[in-house]
Amino acid sequence: MKRPHRIGIALGSGSARGWAHIGVLRALAREGIEPTIISGCSIGAFVGAVAAAGDVEKLAVWVESLGWQRVVGLMDMGLRGGLIKGDRLISFFERQFVDRDFTALPHQFGCVATDLHSGHEIWLREGSVSAAVRASIALPGLIAPVWQDGRLLVDGALVNPVPVSLARAMGADLVIAVELNSDVVGWAWRNRPPAGQGGTNGDAHWSRKLLSRFGRNGNGSAPLNPAATDETAVAELPSMLSVMQDSISIMSVRIARSRMAGEPADVLISPRLAQLGLMDYHRGAEAIAEGEAAVEVALPAIRRALEQR
């Protein structure tokens, strides 16, 4: 008798766009395709850990109920290592979703972080799941890095944004990769309103929200001038988070393409998420719907890959 496929899924980085992973997992489950090996990076680690624990629908309910006030409530501001300490978020994660050892998960799970001192890729597969997720989501500049086993760890997207290699190493026969940034690069500039017309993106809004918590302006040197928050006054320059978002997106796309050229997935799923900003966690329903739609497009390729194994 032929051995059943060990299906793995590699959930990529992408900040708020990562809620699309929920839609991908939900749509795959409807088709009877349930990965038993899950690797994740950054937000992919967050969603992947919950999926490995069997709580995707519980996460979906929470994400779809998020408003921006609740998102802000999960942010504990700090000045050392990043704008956000991350303790409040991971404490919530432990209470509501995953607070256990890797060995206690129903499905195999691993996530990726980066050693800030050596630049090495670190695979986290032992010990506390929540501690591993906390390291993997430590986006440089935004969320503070963490010490683990004598290493200072930051977001795994610096080295392996879509960890196909980790899923293979964990024993997957067939790997489905979910890449969140394929249509992002340049989107904000192509869709930016002309100067003086008052448009703004979500990340300009979040930049002001975050910086106002410190009573600082964009360079951290003086109190915010209320007039400076008017879009017409800043029309010629993008927000701090927009710059971060575009820079990280370019980096992630380039690294992911390079890594997957040498370590290809069997199927690549690419939700269309460019309209979502770095901090648009309150737009979860939209991201989830895009994830589900992307699976519909990829289903023929998934079925072919399964038949060929």
Side-chain angles (χ1 to χ4, degrees):
M1 180 179 293
K2 192 174 180 180
R3 180 174 67 85
H5 301 301
R6 299 189 71 198
I7 300 174
I9 191 163
L11 304 177
S13 63
S15 299
R17 301 182 193 107
W19 295 147
H21 290 316
I22 298 170
V24 168
L25 291 163
R26 179 186 273 175
L28 289 174
R30 283 200 299 264
E31 297 295 326
I33 303 167
E34 298 196 36
T36 57
I37 295 172
I38 302 168
S39 64
C41 177
S42 197
I43 188 66
F46 188 104
V47 176
V50 176
D55 285 334
V56 170
E57 287 306 318
K58 179 180 177 182
L59 178 62
V61 170
W62 177 70
V63 166
E64 290 172 336
S65 72
L66 277 177
W68 69 263
Q69 294 95 336
R70 291 182 68 187
V71 175
V72 171
L74 290 171
M75 295 178 184
D76 43 357
M77 299 300 164
L79 288 173
R80 292 186 63 84
L83 288 176
I84 300 170
K85 297 177 187 175
D87 298 338
R88 191 179 297 170
L89 173 63
I90 212 65
S91 176
F92 176 84
F93 178 75
E94 290 174 342
R95 291 195 310 272
Q96 297 295 322
F97 300 108
V98 181
D99 182 16
R100 65 189 78 174
D101 192 272
F102 276 82
T103 58
L105 294 173
H107 301 302
Q108 281 185 262
F109 171 67
C111 61
V112 180
T114 304
D115 185 327
L116 189 59
H117 289 160
S118 69
H120 292 163
E121 178 178 342
I122 306 298
W123 289 355
L124 301 171
R125 296 181 56 192
E126 297 178 345
S128 165
V129 172
S130 62
V133 170
R134 172 64 183 84
S136 190
I137 67 171
L139 184 65
L142 187 62
I143 300 179
V146 291
W147 287 101
Q148 279 193 31
D149 300 324
R151 300 176 300 210
L152 188 61
L153 301 182
V154 295
D155 198 318
L158 298 180
V159 289
N160 197 355
V162 187
V164 173
S165 54
L166 176 54
R168 296 244 189 248
M170 292 165 63
D173 301 315
L174 183 149
V175 178
I176 300 168
V178 186
E179 206 276 305
L180 303 174
N181 298 308
S182 62
D183 66 332
V184 169
V185 176
W187 186 92
W189 298 102
R190 292 192 301 272
N191 293 274
R192 184 176 176 225
Q197 290 192 10
T200 186
N201 62 26
D203 289 324
H205 167 81
W206 282 109
S207 288
R208 294 195 295 272
K209 288 286 182 185
L210 287 171
L211 292 171
S212 68
R213 303 287 284 271
F214 297 109
R216 297 285 175 176
N217 68 8
N219 62 20
S221 61
L224 277 171
N225 178 350
T229 65
D230 186 89
E231 284 78 11
T232 59
V234 294
E236 293 305 315
L237 287 175
S239 69
M240 177 188 72
L241 286 181
S242 292
V243 172
M244 284 181 61
Q245 169 184 288
D246 288 350
S247 300
I248 291 165
S249 295
I250 292 168
M251 175 192 72
S252 295
V253 168
R254 297 297 184 187
I255 295 171
R257 287 176 182 172
S258 176
R259 290 297 299 259
M260 287 194 289
E263 303 158 346
D266 295 283
V267 179
L268 178 63
I269 297 176
S270 300
R272 311 302 290 176
L273 300 164
Q275 72 277 14
L276 297 180
L278 181 77
M279 298 293 290
D280 284 342
Y281 290 99
H282 59 296
R283 296 171 65 184
E286 185 178 346
I288 290 171
E290 292 292 347
E292 293 184 272
V295 170
E296 292 301 314
V297 173
L299 268 178
I302 296 171
R303 290 178 178 136
R304 282 196 302 272
L306 287 168
E307 289 167 1
Q308 291 167 4
R309 290 284 165 171

